[in-house]
Amino acid sequence: MGQAVVQLEGIEKDYPSGDGALTVLRKVDLCIERGDFVGIVGASGSGKSTLMNILGCLDRPTRGRYVLDGQDVSRLDDDQLSRVRNQSIGFVFQSFNLIAQFSVLENVEVPLFYSRVPRRERRERAQAVVASVGLSHRVSHLPAQLSGGECQRVAIARALVTEPALLLTDEPTGNLDSKNGEKVLRLFGELHESGRTLVMVTHNPDIARRLPRVVEMKDGRMGEKLYEEATA
Ligand code: ADP
Ligand code: MG
């Protein structure tokens, strides 16, 4: 019996619109087991960001049930949701969102600061996770002194430092050249191999077809996406 990190049951999302409501997610069911690596693809406007916002506890579904790491988070209020976000979710975006005046180490410490981890433990945990993404030689650098690929690895370290149950990433290589993008993808592959649970939104079919499992959004509905084997 697997241990689901994510269980979505009949998730729907409405946005208010001129004459009533616009339904942008329809009957979405999804189960993500611990250690899964799931890609999300779909045309622009198909509902990927709306789904990621719900998965990341940035927003609530209008209908349906979301159980995250054993906790029903479907109807939590904003304060409760932000606590769940801080404890259980790591985010990596296309733009790295690092604090320019903070060193690499300080950037990685930020989520621990919010969860009131004592200073010394913050420093030790940040150092360990910075080392795990291969940036020990850059701890005192400022973001402006790093390449884009290095910045994204700092962002990944920051997302991992709280030991989240779920790592969510939206187009993580979107701002990187192909060489740096490849390094970042390889890092996600290593995280998967070490047992992390990952969800990645991507527009890039070459990236998606390398992932173990991909779901596709179409007009707010979700389906499994199957790739044919490449023919020579
Ligand atoms: P994607 O990320 O796949 O491009 P989105 O989830 O951003 O798709 O959007 C899905 C649909 O929901 C689109 O039609 C979009 O216009 C609409 N939408 C997204 N956010 C809002 C909002 N805050 N209010 C109203 N409509 C929205
Ligand atoms: Mg989007």
Side-chain angles (χ1 to χ4, degrees), residues 93-94 96 147-153 156 171-185 188:
F93 300 100
Q94 178 171 342
F96 322 120
S147 72
E150 287 173 329
C151 284
Q152 194 59 304
R153 280 148 68 198
I156 292 168
E171 298 283 357
T173 62
N175 281 345
L176 302 177
D177 61 40
S178 59
K179 187 162 159 257
N180 277 303
E182 187 58 38
K183 279 192 192 167
V184 163
L185 288 175
F188 281 112

Side-chain angles (χ1 to χ4, degrees), residues 52-100:
M52 284 293 263
N53 287 345
I54 289 172
L55 283 174
C57 295
L58 292 159
D59 200 1
R60 277 173 294 265
T62 310
R63 290 172 294 282
R65 200 163 89 102
Y66 177 15
V67 179
L68 170 65
D69 204 22
Q71 183 184 8
D72 189 335
V73 297
S74 328
R75 303 285 172 268
L76 298 184
D77 67 29
D78 290 349
D79 287 345
Q80 293 168 320
L81 275 185
S82 77
R83 228 168 294 136
V84 170
R85 268 201 308 279
N86 189 257
Q87 282 168 9
S88 303
I89 297 177
F91 293 96
V92 176
F93 300 100
Q94 178 171 342
S95 54
F96 322 120
N97 300 330
L98 300 178
I99 299 172

Side-chain angles (χ1 to χ4, degrees), residues 3-218:
Q3 220 184 347
V5 172
V6 168
Q7 189 88 47
L8 299 182
E9 293 164 12
I11 291 291
E12 303 207 298
K13 181 69 185 179
D14 295 347
Y15 287 118
S17 93
D19 49 352
L22 177 70
T23 301
V24 301
L25 292 179
R26 298 165 185 275
K27 298 251 180 280
V28 170
D29 297 320
L30 178 67
C31 180
I32 301 177
E33 306 283 341
R34 199 168 302 285
D36 279 353
F37 191 169
V38 180
I40 300 178
V41 298
S44 177
S46 60
K48 302 182 298 296
S49 294
T50 304
L51 178 66
M52 284 293 263
N53 287 345
I54 289 172
L55 283 174
C57 295
L58 292 159
D59 200 1
R60 277 173 294 265
T62 310
R63 290 172 294 282
R65 200 163 89 102
Y66 177 15
V67 179
L68 170 65
D69 204 22
Q71 183 184 8
D72 189 335
V73 297
S74 328
R75 303 285 172 268
L76 298 184
D77 67 29
D78 290 349
D79 287 345
Q80 293 168 320
L81 275 185
S82 77
R83 228 168 294 136
V84 170
R85 268 201 308 279
N86 189 257
Q87 282 168 9
S88 303
I89 297 177
F91 293 96
V92 176
F93 300 100
Q94 178 171 342
S95 54
F96 322 120
N97 300 330
L98 300 178
I99 299 172
Q101 311 92 303
F102 279 15
S103 70
V104 165
L105 199 61
E106 288 164 345
N107 267 284
V108 174
E109 281 183 52
V110 166
L112 297 178
F113 181 83
Y114 286 116
S115 45
R116 306 215 174 102
V117 173
R119 184 190 161 85
R120 178 162 174 187
E121 184 188 337
R122 279 204 313 263
R123 189 121 302 192
E124 286 170 0
R125 284 172 63 178
Q127 263 159 350
V129 70
V130 166
S132 77
V133 301
L135 289 175
S136 288
H137 58 306
R138 295 278 188 271
V139 279
S140 306
H141 283 56
L142 295 172
Q145 299 170 312
L146 303 177
S147 72
E150 287 173 329
C151 284
Q152 194 59 304
R153 280 148 68 198
V154 175
I156 292 168
R158 181 184 53 189
L160 292 173
V161 75
T162 56
E163 294 289 333
L166 180 64
L167 186 64
L168 298 177
T169 179
D170 198 343
E171 298 283 357
T173 62
N175 281 345
L176 302 177
D177 61 40
S178 59
K179 187 162 159 257
N180 277 303
E182 187 58 38
K183 279 192 192 167
V184 163
L185 288 175
R186 238 180 283 141
L187 178 55
F188 281 112
E190 289 166 19
L191 295 175
H192 172 52
E193 276 159 29
S194 72
R196 306 270 180 185
T197 309
L198 302 157
V199 175
M200 180 187 289
V201 167
T202 180
H203 277 98
N204 186 330
D206 293 329
I207 294 174
R209 64 173 60 244
R210 289 162 54 174
L211 303 180
R213 178 185 176 197
V214 177
V215 296
E216 181 172 29
M217 297 303 298
K218 269 186 192 165

